[in-house]
Amino acid sequence: MTKTLGITPLLMVVTITILKKIPALLHSSVSRSQPLGGKTRLFSSTVKIVESQWRNHPEIKRSIKFPTWIVPSKNCQAILQSDILKSYLGHLDHVQPRLRLVQPHNKTHQLILRNYKNEAFSEEALNLLKSLDVQLDGPTFQLDLDSTNWTVPYILQQILPPEVHPPPTSYEQIGHVAHLNLKTIHKTYGQIIGEVILNSVPNIETVVNKVGEVSGEFRTYDMQLLAGKNTTKVNLQENGVKLEFDVKDVYWCSRLSGEREHMLTHVFKKGQVIVDPFCGVGAQLLQAASKLECHIIANDWNPNAVAACRANVALNCLQDSFEQISCLDAFDFLIDVGLSDRPLPDHVIMNFPLASPQFLSALRWWSVPGKSRNAPIFHVYTFARDDDQGRSVEDAAIDLVADNLLPLGGAVEKTTKRRGELELLGCKVEARLIRDVAPGKVVVCVSFRVTRKLIKQIQGDFS
């Protein structure tokens, strides 16, 4: 008879039973270890769970009992607005929507939830409560909470193991899609993070994680489905304009909505002509056409973006405002703009921070505008950093633009702080910080006028 390391028949039966359940346990076991703070966490770093179990975590599915005051309905606002009573009111962090302090009681009175820690009242507080005819010993109010009541960061703080804290707290919402950029330590838990977002955020139906960097000629990136529907074609509205596009096929950044609003409010004027060689799905241009009746000449190198832009123009009934939507190389497109029989535009938007300054050399082929012709304002978005040469981020961005407008040729030493050169040509240079994209790395918008003097200088005419 073969010996099994001294295991008794009864123990063997138990062992076999457990082994049969291992596949299920690997997916559904709950680790009841007590980490820092004495709180039970849902799983350790080596055990994964099915989506249903995190909802039953004791810090998520729980009931809290609040003591209450019985308050005449007419006096509720006085209590809620009182600085004296503020610390005695019910309070609960990390819940959504915010805790409702007033609950119905009867026709004449309401319940106001008190701090469940039951702090002793000061004499000043007691006198105020008495003056407002408050009954201090109201019935206990039980608040039942589940996974839909807590914020995403709170839930993740409870269920993810301590070694991956802090949990991810930010994502970009694009229509029904939540787009994350998970750190390496969080990728193992990507599925459960996706399920929490799907459960807790209204209108989210798909959760994806960015894989790799924005790259390629069309500025797109690969993505991994974490939770929800496998569809990335979205419908959304921004500033009254309807947009439809597929997130996986085009570049989109919700964080630029504020910048688009700034251009609409502070830069563009009614009826102006706007050119955009990197138009994407057309959000900025559609808003300018819709709100300010601007005339648009649009272009993008990505055929998917151009198709979406055209569809969005039709969706918003703005066909009459768009003179052109082309799918050309931005360099060729800009040359065509400068050689066209049409009047020069009022604004040229170049929101492609990775490389937009490089396309400024297309101005070399522009016709020198007549003295009466418009001097277009270029808005060039670029990445920039401050440096050890004493330049600010703004100065570094302006130098990058100047270097592409007026190359230094065979200069022995690189010239910096070239704003003055552009000012002498009447360019009226301005630089605005748009947003941080990495430590020390900022997107800057450099705006300048394309004057007769600038074009002539670019073309080597120094007369």
Side-chain angles (χ1 to χ4, degrees):
M1 185 179 194
T2 304
K3 293 184 179 181
T4 315
L5 299 177
I7 298 176
T8 65
L10 177 60
L11 184 56
M12 286 182 65
V13 171
V14 174
T15 303
I16 292 171
T17 302
I18 292 174
L19 287 172
K20 287 180 178 179
K21 294 184 177 181
I22 279 181
L25 289 170
L26 286 174
H27 292 285
S28 61
S29 295
V30 177
S31 171
R32 294 302 179 186
S33 60
Q34 295 290 328
L36 292 175
K39 293 183 178 179
T40 303
R41 300 210 176 266
L42 202 51
F43 56 86
S44 71
S45 59
T46 57
V47 181
K48 295 184 179 180
I49 61 171
V50 292
E51 63 172 275
S52 60
Q53 288 209 313
W54 64 266
R55 293 176 171 83
N56 296 322
H57 187 284
E59 292 296 324
I60 295 171
K61 189 173 184 179
R62 57 188 288 205
S63 297
I64 300 176
K65 294 182 178 180
F66 288 90
T68 66
W69 295 320
I70 301 175
V71 183
S73 299
K74 63 180 181 180
N75 293 337
C76 286
Q77 282 303 312
I79 289 177
L80 297 178
Q81 295 173 3
S82 170
D83 290 334
I84 296 173
L85 299 176
K86 186 175 182 179
S87 64
Y88 301 103
L89 297 177
H91 179 72
L92 197 57
D93 291 325
H94 314 299
V95 294
Q96 53 180 15
R98 192 170 60 178
L99 178 65
R100 282 184 56 196
L101 294 177
V102 179
Q103 300 289 338
H105 183 55
N106 58 36
K107 292 182 179 180
T108 59
H109 289 71
Q110 308 290 327
L111 299 180
I112 289 186
L113 307 190
R114 281 174 43 201
N115 189 330
Y116 64 89
K117 295 179 181 179
N118 243 333
E119 296 181 13
F121 299 118
S122 67
E123 184 177 351
E124 186 179 24
L126 284 172
N127 290 335
L128 179 56
L129 291 168
K130 184 177 179 180
S131 71
L132 294 171
D133 298 324
V134 174
Q135 299 177 43
L136 302 181
D137 53 349
T140 299
F141 180 87
Q142 179 169 306
L143 180 65
D144 297 319
L145 299 165
D146 60 26
S147 61
T148 63
N149 300 118
W150 301 101
T151 62
V152 170
Y154 173 83
I155 294 174
L156 295 179
Q157 186 78 17
Q158 308 310 311
I159 67 175
L160 293 183
E163 57 264 33
V164 299
H165 285 182
T169 58
S170 63
Y171 58 89
E172 180 179 7
Q173 183 170 350
I174 311 171
H176 71 274
V177 175
H179 160 225
L180 292 88
N181 190 5
L182 292 177
K183 296 179 179 178
T184 302
I185 61 170
H186 296 136
K187 289 181 179 179
T188 302
Y189 306 95
Q191 184 176 350
I192 195 69
I193 292 169
E195 292 293 348
V196 170
I197 293 173
L198 196 67
N199 172 87
S200 304
V201 183
N203 303 320
I204 292 296
E205 299 176 7
T206 302
V207 184
V208 299
N209 181 48
K210 177 182 176 183
V211 178
E213 298 297 325
V214 174
S215 61
E217 56 185 347
F218 299 148
R219 298 182 291 164
T220 56
Y221 52 84
D222 294 330
M223 57 184 66
Q224 170 195 10
L225 178 67
L226 299 179
K229 299 177 181 178
N230 189 12
T231 173
T232 51
K233 187 172 182 178
V234 299
N235 301 274
L236 56 93
Q237 283 201 20
E238 183 179 284
N239 207 358
V241 166
K242 300 174 185 176
L243 299 168
E244 292 183 358
F245 54 90
D246 196 321
V247 175
K248 74 177 187 301
D249 292 335
V250 302
Y251 177 80
W252 173 262
C253 182
S254 300
R255 295 181 182 90
L256 289 175
S257 61
E259 174 61 12
R260 290 188 279 267
E261 173 67 21
H262 173 87
M263 297 296 287
L264 201 66
T265 305
H266 300 288
V267 179
F268 303 150
K269 300 292 187 291
K270 187 172 181 177
Q272 288 185 323
V273 177
I274 301 173
V275 164
D276 190 343
F278 311 107
C279 69
V281 301
Q284 179 76 87
L285 303 178
L286 287 160
Q287 292 174 32
S290 174
K291 304 292 184 181
L292 298 174
E293 301 177 11
C294 290
H295 305 283
I296 307 300
I297 302 170
N299 177 77
D300 202 282
W301 180 237
N302 182 349
N304 293 314
V306 171
C309 183
R310 288 172 176 161
N312 289 328
V313 169
L315 182 64
N316 291 276
C317 302
L318 291 169
Q319 293 92 328
D320 291 344
S321 298
F322 280 71
E323 299 180 22
Q324 175 184 331
I325 306 175
S326 57
C327 186
L328 301 172
D329 180 275
F331 191 83
D332 296 332
F333 171 76
L334 286 170
I335 291 175
D336 291 346
V337 169
L339 297 178
S340 171
D341 292 332
R342 290 180 294 213
L344 290 177
D346 296 285
H347 298 277
V348 177
I349 310 168
M350 300 180 67
N351 196 344
F352 180 23
L354 187 64
S356 56
Q358 298 173 22
F359 292 88
L360 292 174
S361 57
L363 291 172
R364 185 178 299 275
W365 280 267
W366 275 33
S367 299
V368 178
K371 294 183 179 179
S372 61
R373 294 191 72 181
N374 195 33
I377 303 175
F378 272 57
H379 307 279
V380 181
Y381 294 76
T382 184
F383 296 125
R385 299 176 183 270
D386 51 14
D387 56 27
D388 55 6
Q389 300 179 49
R391 293 187 303 176
S392 65
V393 170
E394 294 92 334
D395 285 338
I398 292 170
D399 284 351
L400 184 57
V401 167
D403 290 345
N404 283 275
L405 286 171
L406 303 167
L408 294 173
V412 175
E413 188 174 333
K414 183 178 177 63
T415 304
T416 60
K417 298 185 179 180
R418 302 186 67 190
R419 178 197 290 262
E421 294 178 51
L422 297 178
E423 293 292 358
L424 289 174
L425 298 172
C427 294
K428 298 183 179 178
V429 183
E430 296 179 358
R432 287 187 299 113
L433 303 182
I434 306 302
R435 65 188 186 102
D436 295 332
V437 292
K441 185 178 181 181
V442 182
V443 176
V444 181
C445 177
V446 178
S447 299
F448 62 93
R449 290 187 177 275
V450 175
T451 62
R452 282 172 50 82
K453 287 183 178 180
L454 176 64
I455 293 296
K456 292 174 72 174
Q457 185 104 335
I458 290 172
Q459 296 174 350
D461 181 354
F462 301 100
S463 58

